[in-house]
């Protein structure tokens, strides 16, 4: 074994703990959503968690002496990203988990990269469609059909809940290439853009939530369990998780950091089974494996890959699409 082929254990130890912590944080988000909607309307839960996440990132922004964007054009584009990357998908996951298990919502979140790729190719023209990517998408969508269990027929609250979770992933799939095309080239840091994104999402939800679901209940009226869930979702899953992810990207690289997508559903399933005693039918985890395999193929993680050019290659939109529900504010690539 040569020096070149010996694994760099020191380098691995520098990013692996943060990588696993991020997967656990984002994977557990579905548990806390399930707990939160026990007392809160999905829109109210989203409003509270996004506001807590925005406050957290503003504190980090102030501590680092960074600043919010100053260009109206950037704020205009962030209005779109805030809606499709934060407000709508977070709420759809809440509605979905009123009807399905938290672990199943975590599985659906893993379909995001499959939705990003066709949009990036056909709508935003930021990626090229190759044979490998086409095969990966085909496998992934076959896995989606397996997860849905389409041979059992469609309809019912459970099926509707799955479609809502898939709709949330589709929102992420639109937001990622949109942000890559219209926001990624700005001179502002990922932290600055993400804090602004959460601020805009908070404003959007503050207008919509009372109109749809009534006046949000006072936090003092919530049970300790639900209040803790909201704080964990907001401060940890929507706020500090972004800081951890930024470090993972800096230390391990964007491509390696994006593979956290593969661990998030694993943590979601384990946590749902242990904490909520949830169970899946055989075709749901089987379909999830097919989905993840399709994502791996589309991202070039399976099969032969050409060596990356010196300095590292730009991650694809599909690779940057690992935007789990707790990842409202990843930079682009992504955000």
């Amino acid at each position: 074994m040569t020096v070149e082929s010996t694994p760099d254990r020191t380098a691995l130890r520098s990013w692996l703990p943060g990588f696993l912590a991020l997967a656990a944080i984002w994977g557990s988000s579905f548990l806390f959503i399930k707990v939160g909607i026990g007392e809160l309307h999905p829109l109210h839960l989203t409003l509270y968690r996004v506001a807590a996440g925005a406050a957290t990132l503003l504190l980090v922004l102030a501590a680092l002496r960074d600043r919010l964007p100053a260009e109206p054009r950037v704020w205009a584009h962030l209005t779109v990203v805030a809606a499709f990357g934060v407000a709508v998908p977070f709420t759809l996951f809440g509605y979905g988990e009123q009807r399905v298990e938290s672990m199943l919502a975590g599985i659906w979140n893993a379909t995001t990269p499959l939705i990003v790729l066709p949009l990036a190719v056909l709508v935003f023209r930021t990626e090229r469609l190759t044979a490998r990517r086409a095969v990966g998408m085909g496998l992934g969508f076959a896995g989606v059909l397996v997860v849905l269990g389409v041979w059992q027929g469609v309809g019912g609250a459970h099926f509707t809940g799955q479609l809502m979770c898939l709709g949330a992933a589709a929102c992420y799939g639109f937001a990622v290439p949109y942000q890559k095309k219209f926001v990624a080239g700005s001179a502002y840091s990922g932290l600055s853009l993400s804090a602004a994104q959460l601020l805009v999402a908070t404003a959007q939800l503050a207008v919509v939530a009372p109109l749809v679901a009534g006046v949000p209940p006072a936090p003092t009226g919530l049970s300790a369990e639900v209040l803790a869930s909201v704080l964990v979702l907001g401060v940890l899953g929507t706020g500090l998780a972004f800081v951890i992810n930024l470090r993972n990207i800096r230390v391990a690289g964007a491509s390696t950091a994006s593979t956290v997508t593969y661990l998030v559903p694993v943590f979601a399933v384990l946590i749902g089974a242990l904490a909520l005693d949830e169970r899946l039918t055989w075709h749901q985890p089987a379909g999830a494996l097919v989905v993840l395999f399709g994502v791996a193929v589309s991202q070039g993680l399976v099969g032969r890959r050409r060596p990356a050019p010196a300095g590292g290659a730009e991650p694809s939109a599909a690779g940057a699409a690992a935007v789990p529900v707790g990842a409202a504010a990843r930079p682009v690539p992504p955000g």
Side-chain angles (χ1 to χ4, degrees):
M1 182 176 291
T2 64
V3 173
E4 289 77 9
S5 64
T6 304
D8 189 343
R9 295 183 179 179
T10 302
L12 186 65
R13 286 196 297 267
S14 68
W15 62 265
L16 186 59
F19 182 87
L20 294 175
L22 194 63
I25 291 170
W26 282 342
S28 65
S29 294
F30 303 96
L31 163 67
F32 295 116
I33 291 173
K34 177 68 79 172
V35 174
I37 59 175
E39 296 180 17
L40 288 169
H41 187 281
L43 272 166
H44 293 158
L45 175 62
T46 303
L47 171 61
Y48 282 146
R49 69 173 290 192
V50 172
T56 301
L57 288 188
L58 287 176
L59 290 175
V60 175
L61 204 67
L64 296 178
R65 297 184 179 180
D66 202 346
R67 59 189 176 90
L68 292 170
E71 299 176 35
R73 181 192 66 83
V74 173
W75 283 96
H77 286 307
L78 286 178
T79 300
V80 178
V81 178
F84 288 96
V86 181
V88 176
F90 280 17
T91 303
L92 281 176
F93 271 121
Y95 277 116
E97 288 198 44
Q98 289 180 328
R99 299 163 175 83
V100 302
E101 300 81 1
S102 68
M103 57 173 62
L104 189 53
I107 289 174
W108 281 116
N109 189 77
T111 64
T112 297
L114 296 174
I115 301 168
V116 167
L117 187 53
L119 289 175
V121 171
L122 299 175
V123 178
F124 296 102
R125 310 282 180 149
T126 56
E127 299 291 332
R128 290 178 299 152
L129 184 63
T130 64
R132 168 177 56 77
R133 288 173 172 175
V135 169
M137 282 194 298
L139 286 170
F141 284 111
V144 167
L145 296 179
V146 174
V147 174
L148 283 172
V150 292
W151 60 86
Q152 298 175 340
V154 298
H158 196 268
F159 185 81
T160 301
Q162 292 197 70
L163 292 182
M164 289 177 172
C165 293
L166 179 59
C171 288
Y172 290 143
F174 173 83
V176 169
Y178 182 96
Q179 189 165 350
K180 183 173 183 180
K181 184 175 180 67
F182 297 109
V183 183
S186 70
Y188 302 101
S189 68
L191 179 61
S192 172
L193 293 171
S194 296
Q197 178 182 332
L198 291 184
L199 278 175
V200 173
T202 301
Q204 293 170 339
L205 289 161
V207 172
V208 174
L211 296 176
V212 175
V215 179
T220 53
L222 302 176
S223 68
E225 184 180 51
V226 169
L227 185 58
S229 294
V230 171
L231 291 176
V232 171
L233 280 170
V235 176
L236 189 59
T238 314
L240 294 180
F242 169 76
V243 179
I244 297 173
N245 188 57
L246 274 183
R247 182 184 183 279
N248 290 346
I249 293 173
R250 185 176 67 251
V251 176
S255 296
T256 298
S258 72
T259 58
V260 72
T261 303
Y262 300 99
L263 282 182
V264 169
V266 175
F267 276 97
V269 169
L270 289 175
I271 293 170
L274 294 174
L276 299 175
D277 197 29
E278 294 178 339
R279 295 291 182 268
L280 296 175
T281 55
W282 69 268
H283 62 87
Q284 291 162 346
L289 291 176
V290 177
V291 168
L292 292 177
F293 182 71
V295 172
V297 171
S298 70
Q299 294 183 359
L301 299 177
V302 175
R304 295 184 60 186
R305 299 177 64 190
R306 289 179 298 179
E314 177 72 15
S316 69
V323 190
V325 68
R330 285 187 56 184
V332 174

